Structure formats: C-alpha cells, structure tokens
Amino acid sequence: MGDAISLGENILVHRTDRKSQIKALKGGIQWLKNGVHLCTFPEGTRSRGGRLMEFKQGAFVMAQKAGVPIVPLSIVSTAKVMPCHWMFPFSSTRSIGSGSACGVKVVVHKPISSVDKTNDELCTAARQAIISGLPEEQRPLE
C-alpha cells in the first residue's frame, strides 16, 4: 500500500515531524496553484467513536494561501463500514445500514470561497457545513 501511495504522488504528513508538515503544506499549496484538486481529512485521523472531531488547520492554510475554494463533504456512516481499528472496509454483504450501499452517504456542500477569509473563518464555515450533513450520532458533543 505504501508503494501505491508514493507512486500516486500523494502528499504524506508525518504528524510528529515539523519538517514533514511544512513540506506537505508547501506541496499542497503548489498542487492547488497548479489546478489539482486535493482531498483532505481535516480531523487528521479517524474518530474512535464515530463523531466528528476537532479540525487541524493544514487544509485551510493551503486553500487560503492558494486562493482556492473549499468544497466540504459530509461522509455519513463510514465508521460502520471501516472502524478506526480496521485497515480495510467490511464486506458490502454485511448488514450495517439502509439507504445507499452499506449505509454510507456523501453529502456535497456548496463551495466556500477562501478569498478575504482567515484560516479560522474557513475552518469554522467548513465545519458548520459538514456538521449540517451529519446525523445526530456523528455530530460532535460540544
């Protein structure tokens, strides 16, 4: 899996290595300026309890510096399909929900412009949009 990630030119972040974090930010900004769309998970890790966690700032810094919009996505029921302690998703034949396949649903929200917004404003706007698309059991307890 590591080779596939490297060959796919994915941007990797080693959370404990400051140099890696800066390199990832600079690389992400350059990709965005080149017109490449990035998919980031602003929580930085999977939730153990299935609820939305606090966001890290990296994705919002990249968008703001590159001057590109953020398109928030609410991803519903993934913890049922791929719990944090599993490397691969459960089989689709497992009964875990209703509605879409495996009970998983993706809600695409309106783009949020990064122009004239701070990183905190972008983060707050994206977080509010994402929360609005989640069921109660995935919303943060705040």
Side-chain angles (χ1 to χ4, degrees):
M1 194 163 181
D3 287 341
I5 290 172
S6 295
L7 289 172
E9 297 187 51
N10 290 278
I11 301 169
L12 304 176
V13 179
H14 300 283
R15 290 178 243 189
T16 59
D17 182 355
R18 186 72 178 146
K19 275 186 173 178
S20 169
Q21 294 169 0
I22 292 168
K23 183 179 176 184
L25 279 174
K26 287 181 178 179
I29 292 165
Q30 191 57 53
W31 278 113
L32 290 169
K33 285 181 177 180
N34 290 343
V36 176
H37 297 208
L38 297 182
C39 177
T40 66
F41 296 89
E43 294 168 286
T45 189
R46 288 189 276 173
S47 167
R48 294 198 185 278
R51 290 190 180 273
L52 189 70
M53 300 184 305
E54 289 300 316
F55 286 0
K56 310 281 189 232
Q57 290 288 317
F60 308 104
V61 169
M62 289 188 290
Q64 197 270 336
K65 296 249 185 224
V68 298
I70 291 176
V71 180
L73 303 174
S74 300
I75 308 175
V76 179
S77 297
T78 54
K80 294 176 184 174
V81 177
M82 191 168 171
C84 68
H85 56 281
W86 287 92
M87 183 176 231
F88 299 104
F90 288 133
S91 167
S92 63
T93 58
R94 182 181 165 132
S95 177
I96 54 172
S98 61
S100 60
C102 301
V104 173
K105 177 173 86 169
V106 177
V107 180
V108 181
H109 300 279
K110 291 181 181 178
I112 301 168
S113 173
S114 65
V115 177
D116 297 326
K117 287 190 178 74
T118 67
N119 298 334
D120 286 338
E121 290 169 335
L122 278 175
C123 181
T124 298
R127 185 172 174 80
Q128 288 172 344
I130 290 168
I131 289 171
S132 76
L134 295 176
E136 192 61 42
E137 68 268 11
Q138 278 188 263
R139 293 181 179 191
L141 293 174
E142 300 178 286

